[in-house]
Amino acid sequence: MTDIKETQGLILSNAPHIKTGDSVQKIMWLVVASLVPAAAFGVYTFGLHALVLIAASIISAVAAEALYQALLKKKISVIDGSAVITGLLIGMNVPPTAPAWMVVIGSFFGIIIVKQVFGGLGFNIFNPALGARAFMMASWPVYMTTGWVPFSGSNVLAGGVQNAAGLPQQAFDAITQATPLGALKEGPKILQEMNIGIGQLHDFLFSSSMIKSLFIGNIGGVIGETSALFLLIGGIFLLARRIITWHIPVSFIGTVGILAFAYYSAAGLSCPWMAVLFHLLSGGLMLGAFFMATDMVTSPVSAAGMVIFGVGCGAITFIIRIWGGYPEGVSYSILLMNAATPLIDRFTKPRVFGVK
Amino acid sequence: MFSGFKGGIHPPENKHVAEDKAFTNLPVPQMCYIPLSQHLGAPAKPVVEVGQTVTEGQLIAEAGGFVSANVHSPVPGKVVEIKEINTVNNRQMAVVIEAEGAFSSSAQPRQTDDWEKLAPEEILRRIREAGIVGLGGAAFPAAVKLSPPKDKKIDILIVNGSECEPYLTVDDMLMQTFPKEIIDGTRMLMKVLGVTRAIIGIENNKKKAVQALKKTLASMSIKEDIAVKALRTKYPQGAEKQLIYSLTGKQVPSGGLPMEVGVVVQNVGTIFAAREAVVFSKPLFERYITVSGKMINKPGNYKVRLGTRISDIVEECGGLKGEPAKIVIGGPMCGLSIHSLDIPVVKGTSGILFLSKDEVKTGDFSQCIRCGRCVAACPINLVPCDLGNAVEKNRYDLVEELRPLDCIMCGSCSYSCPSNRPLSHFIKLAQAWVRKQKK
Ligand code: SF4
Ligand code: SF4
């Protein structure tokens, strides 16, 4: 499609005659670049299999897109990098010991069913990577929710989590087998059997040693979510490069923080700030808020819409974490808000200049 | 102070190409091609015949209505033809004059009149007679803008020196070179409008112009309240509605004119020309322009006679460095691309850009990825992506509630779109559809 023609060697087109240097392709590849530090850290901490998973998901996402477009005789657009992002995000969203065939199927599902069937880049309603994640979660829940790498060990950047609250060794071992959010959800049950109160679990999870592990990334979790530090580096890069705006990440993360503060204050925790930090740094919040909720296609177009979207994501995330059936709610919250996006767009049309 | 309007963009300014280049007079062309419709409104009606001899500045076509403008001969010479020619935006009738004989304005010392002794009506009459139109690009007859209906009370004259289009430096140079004349002209127009307040708004990337005007203002002892205000450099700071908002905090109502909030806006170039028209009885037959872009050998700011063809200008500006990819009349955001060098400079021509391939947008457009950049960029708060998608899919039933008529065609949306979508063009189609529907 073009509105440009050439006459006597001169280009004729409508104004404007200049344009921003950011093309779709450039934007997508910059997003890929911004995810590399966190993905590389995941590979570093979880080992070669993590690399196999990421590679398998990227290759199959690209292959799925090319294949689909070739079969339907459409223009093959994998060079735009959007399928690479989807593949990379799928790889980063599975536990480090998941089977490779699973991410291959997941990538095909994400690209073909969630993205291409709706019309391809720009027309899909749901974030393809998150659609794939939900699909894998429903199909292979065991692979998706177990096989965490225990976080009592240490890696080159961070020592193991200390048993700050003085939990019995047996309880400490059991709890650190899961993800931190899993421990928050399942911990009370495990500890009850040992006649230990929830206060001690909180003391452990909301300790400074725990927060440090969460920040640097020495915890159990899916491949790409563990290091808040590296995710923040990528996120700040995207903000600085103006690929994304602050609206979604800040409102998303801010809402989780405010709700955590309110909830733990009401619960009588002496230092709710540590609980707030725990919630902000754990799970896929950084990954989701900076890289998945900000997916342009599936989030609102106006600033006001983005803020509502972010607040909605944050609220749903926190509700699922505390009261829901899953330990973690970031991906479902984003998917739910994806579904609400057309509605949000409708009701957040900016007030036109000069109209009362 | 207001931080300015919402939205907008920061395209590379590229002003350095012609910046600080003092004005050079381009030689008078042998042949002048003077279109009869160089302004908004009805075309002027020719009052000369083929074969007739004309003097420099002689009326050759008179205004064809209230919203119209007189046209004068830029050169002394002979009318050789009255025919249809290609102009920037259309094919239209033009008077072709071959230069010969003596130049009065360059040869004789000009007679000067003190405008302060003239009645406002007389000043206005001279401006109308001289065929002055908005020189910022819109070419709206100045006298019409300066005579608002009696029931509209005007209290501020805003002088537009923002020159927010990339590349263009002609207004900047005008303010640096003639600060006294511009302030004097401002005072003159204040008298016409009967206002006591004027604000000269200039983007803060033109520090020298701001300083020149401020210094001159301080050195003159005048009774009127004239302020020089530096504005944030942001496109489209010079769009009337945005400029008024940035300077006064007032929003011109949708579909309305600046006078509805008590404001009249005139461009610095227009003010300069209006003053010359009144003080020197000089009709508008020449103007200042910027010639720029990577492909011209001598970019700069020039004074040219109207009717000079682009080809003559290329020659006088040292020729081209190579084949330009695009030639644009006006600025790169709102200007028009042309394919022929035979097109003449008219009253509304603020610049001519000879752009290389790497300076212009090229390539196909693709589907919208909903990035929202166009929404963030739109100074009017429209949702350009929705408008573009509706027009592309021929869903004109959806466009009206998206208010395409509020669009000021600034092009910020198209500029920002990573999918290269010609959004403002789509919106123009939507506008045409809505206008047709309303009839
Ligand atoms: S929609 Fe119109 S006013 Fe808004 S940015 Fe585009 S061209 Fe400018
Ligand atoms: S800038 Fe282009 S791609 Fe982005 S939302 Fe607007 S039309 Fe769509």
Side-chain angles (χ1 to χ4, degrees):
Chain A
M1 288 172 282
T2 183
D3 66 318
I4 296 173
K5 58 179 184 198
E6 261 192 61
T7 310
Q8 295 166 19
L10 284 170
I11 302 172
L12 291 181
S13 79
N14 301 293
H17 307 285
I18 51 174
K19 130 179 221 316
T20 156
D22 282 355
S23 61
V24 174
Q25 200 166 323
K26 191 157 161 195
I27 290 175
M28 296 294 172
W29 286 105
L30 283 173
V31 174
V32 172
S34 70
L35 281 164
V36 166
F41 179 78
V43 170
Y44 176 77
T45 47
F46 297 128
L48 207 59
H49 188 64
L51 183 63
V52 171
L53 289 174
I54 290 176
S57 54
I58 293 177
I59 293 168
S60 38
V62 171
E65 181 144 301
L67 217 65
Y68 182 90
Q69 288 174 333
L71 285 177
L72 269 81
K73 301 203 166 44
K74 289 187 178 187
K75 196 171 156 231
I76 297 191
S77 63
V78 289
I79 189 74
D80 72 18
S82 65
V84 176
I85 298 181
T86 300
L88 181 56
L89 283 172
I90 291 173
M92 291 172 79
N93 263 297
V94 295
T97 55
W101 57 259
M102 183 181 81
V103 297
V104 172
I105 300 175
S107 295
F108 268 80
F109 180 87
I111 291 291
I112 292 177
I113 308 293
V114 187
K115 182 180 176 188
Q116 290 297 344
V117 166
F118 282 88
L121 183 65
F123 297 106
N124 49 304
I125 294 173
F126 296 103
N127 181 320
L130 288 174
R133 183 186 151 99
F135 165 75
M136 293 187 289
M137 198 79 158
S139 313
W140 305 285
V142 175
Y143 289 134
M144 286 298 285
T145 56
T146 55
W148 310 115
V149 170
F151 51 102
S152 49
S154 56
N155 68 31
V156 73
L157 292 178
V161 175
Q162 277 145 33
N163 189 350
L167 296 169
Q169 191 59 36
Q170 202 190 349
F172 178 73
D173 288 345
I175 284 172
T176 54
Q177 289 298 317
T179 64
L181 283 171
L184 182 67
K185 188 137 253 174
E186 306 301 331
K189 239 187 287 161
I190 301 172
L191 293 180
Q192 210 173 22
E193 285 160 16
M194 301 179 193
N195 276 326
I196 301 171
I198 190 166
Q200 229 172 326
L201 176 71
H202 283 168
D203 286 349
F204 166 59
L205 290 178
F206 306 155
S207 67
S208 55
S209 147
M210 183 71 197
I211 300 297
K212 207 173 118 203
S213 280
L214 281 167
F215 182 68
I216 291 173
N218 182 27
I219 46 163
V222 297
I223 294 170
E225 76 180 7
T226 51
S227 173
L229 173 64
F230 285 101
L231 289 166
L232 273 171
I233 291 173
I236 288 167
F237 168 75
L238 289 184
L239 283 172
R241 212 24 212 75
R242 295 176 193 263
I243 303 295
I244 59 172
T245 59
W246 61 269
H247 305 87
I248 292 178
V250 169
S251 56
F252 192 163
I253 296 170
T255 304
V256 172
I258 289 167
L259 290 178
F261 185 82
Y263 176 80
Y264 289 100
S265 298
L269 220 63
S270 58
C271 185
W273 288 112
M274 292 304 264
V276 170
L277 279 178
F278 174 84
H279 273 280
L280 297 192
L281 299 174
S282 61
L285 184 59
M286 294 295 155
L287 181 62
F290 282 103
F291 302 96
M292 300 198 286
T294 53
D295 171 33
M296 297 160 181
V297 179
T298 56
S299 61
V301 290
S302 72
M306 291 181 201
V307 170
I308 294 174
F309 181 91
V311 169
C313 286
I316 298 170
T317 296
F318 195 72
I319 289 168
I320 296 179
R321 281 184 180 183
I322 301 297
W323 294 286
Y326 294 102
E328 169 59 316
V330 167
S331 12
Y332 289 109
S333 74
I334 299 173
L335 282 171
L336 282 169
M337 293 311 289
N338 285 165
T341 293
L343 207 67
I344 296 176
D345 269 341
R346 236 191 118 72
F347 289 105
T348 52
K349 287 239 157 66
R351 191 183 59 79
V352 172
F353 186 95
V355 176
K356 293 251 161 55
Chain B
M1 194 60 219
F2 294 89
S3 58
F5 65 96
K6 179 216 144 268
I9 52 170
H10 300 275
E13 293 172 21
N14 280 320
K15 302 252 189 201
H16 60 274
V17 188
E19 206 168 22
D20 297 335
K21 294 238 163 56
F23 289 120
T24 315
N25 290 355
L26 284 188
V28 175
Q30 191 54 40
M31 282 288 187
C32 276
Y33 295 76
I34 309 124
L36 297 177
S37 184
Q38 306 183 28
H39 46 262
L40 237 64
K45 293 196 205 89
V47 293
V48 288
E49 280 163 16
V50 175
Q52 189 176 335
T53 310
V54 292
T55 58
E56 179 187 34
Q58 180 179 333
L59 183 75
I60 54 174
E62 60 180 21
F66 178 61
V67 182
S68 183
N70 288 343
V71 177
H72 303 80
S73 176
V75 291
K78 202 158 87 196
V79 177
V80 288
E81 247 180 314
I82 298 179
K83 64 166 184 183
E84 229 184 43
I85 63 160
N86 284 324
T87 68
V88 176
N89 42 10
N90 56 9
R91 260 188 92 71
Q92 56 158 301
M93 294 306 285
V95 177
V96 185
I97 297 174
E98 185 171 9
E100 59 180 40
F103 285 82
S104 47
S105 80
S106 25
Q108 293 168 11
R110 284 174 187 158
Q111 169 168 358
T112 63
D113 281 346
D114 184 358
W115 62 261
E116 304 212 41
K117 296 209 183 85
L118 301 176
E121 296 75 26
E122 172 61 14
I123 297 175
L124 193 62
R125 191 191 64 79
R126 291 190 184 190
I127 291 173
R128 181 177 300 117
E129 290 294 299
I132 307 292
V133 302
L135 297 184
F140 189 78
V144 180
K145 235 182 177 184
L146 291 169
S147 30
K150 287 277 164 301
D151 58 321
K152 299 275 190 256
K153 181 156 166 22
I154 303 299
D155 31 50
I156 308 180
L157 168 66
I158 287 184
V159 180
N160 191 350
S162 52
E163 196 165 58
C164 56
E165 277 269 13
Y167 291 93
L168 301 187
T169 51
V170 53
D171 287 352
D172 183 9
M173 200 26 82
L174 216 48
M175 292 185 282
Q176 289 185 45
T177 320
F178 305 109
K180 213 163 149 254
E181 287 77 358
I182 288 168
I183 290 169
D184 195 48
T186 304
R187 292 180 58 228
M188 186 185 84
L189 294 195
M190 289 168 82
K191 180 171 180 180
V192 173
L193 288 166
V195 300
T196 53
R197 225 183 125 201
I199 312 176
I200 306 178
I202 308 169
E203 274 190 344
N204 60 11
N205 57 355
K206 291 174 259 302
K207 298 223 159 46
K208 286 186 193 154
V210 174
Q211 273 196 347
L213 282 168
K214 278 196 170 155
K215 229 174 83 196
T216 311
L217 196 59
S219 71
M220 296 163 80
S221 55
I222 49 173
K223 54 183 191 305
E224 294 91 347
D225 171 11
I226 301 180
V228 177
K229 291 232 167 105
L231 298 159
R232 229 179 113 192
T233 300
K234 178 165 88 162
Y235 180 88
Q237 189 66 266
E240 269 189 352
K241 292 182 174 183
Q242 276 53 47
L243 185 66
I244 294 170
Y245 183 72
S246 296
L247 288 173
T248 68
K250 291 181 189 167
Q251 288 197 9
V252 177
S254 162
L257 292 170
M259 61 182 165
E260 262 141 271
V261 290
V263 175
V264 165
V265 182
Q266 289 288 1
N267 164 275
V268 285
T270 316
I271 290 185
F272 182 80
R275 179 181 167 277
E276 290 209 317
V278 175
V279 176
F280 303 129
S281 308
K282 180 186 164 194
L284 183 60
F285 59 75
E286 60 186 358
R287 67 159 296 156
Y288 294 92
I289 63 169
T290 295
V291 176
S292 190
K294 276 194 190 159
M295 299 314 285
I296 188 83
N297 271 320
K298 281 195 257 159
N301 301 301
Y302 296 93
K303 185 158 123 182
V304 303
R305 303 271 159 154
L306 302 180
T308 307
R309 287 175 305 173
I310 312 289
S311 49
D312 292 334
I313 290 175
V314 170
E315 213 167 289
E316 298 299 337
C317 292
L320 295 167
K321 286 184 188 159
E323 284 289 307
K326 202 174 210 176
I327 302 177
V328 171
I329 303 289
M333 291 301 298
C334 289
L336 297 159
S337 58
I338 56 167
H339 65 271
S340 158
L341 294 180
D342 293 338
I343 285 170
V345 168
V346 292
K347 293 177 180 178
T349 308
S350 48
I352 309 170
L353 310 178
F354 300 88
L355 303 170
S356 65
K357 189 120 194 164
D358 59 320
E359 290 177 280
V360 298
K361 95 168 193 176
T362 49
D364 297 351
F365 64 89
S366 50
Q367 73 275 28
C368 167
I369 59 163
R370 292 178 40 82
C371 66
R373 289 175 180 221
C374 55
V375 183
C378 180
I380 299 292
N381 271 342
L382 300 178
V383 186
C385 50
D386 285 359
L387 273 159
N389 290 334
V391 170
E392 194 186 17
K393 290 195 210 102
N394 261 312
R395 290 291 307 276
Y396 281 97
D397 54 312
L398 300 175
V399 303
E400 191 155 4
E401 61 162 336
L402 295 166
R403 309 187 67 99
L405 295 185
D406 282 284
C407 170
I408 58 166
M409 281 295 146
C410 69
S412 300
C413 49
S414 314
Y415 174 85
S416 330
C417 179
S419 285
N420 221 355
R421 295 175 71 71
L423 296 166
S424 40
H425 172 63
F426 283 144
I427 295 168
K428 201 180 277 168
L429 299 178
Q431 288 183 335
W433 189 86
V434 172
R435 287 209 180 96
K436 211 170 83 201
Q437 231 45 30
K438 285 205 165 141
K439 267 187 199 150

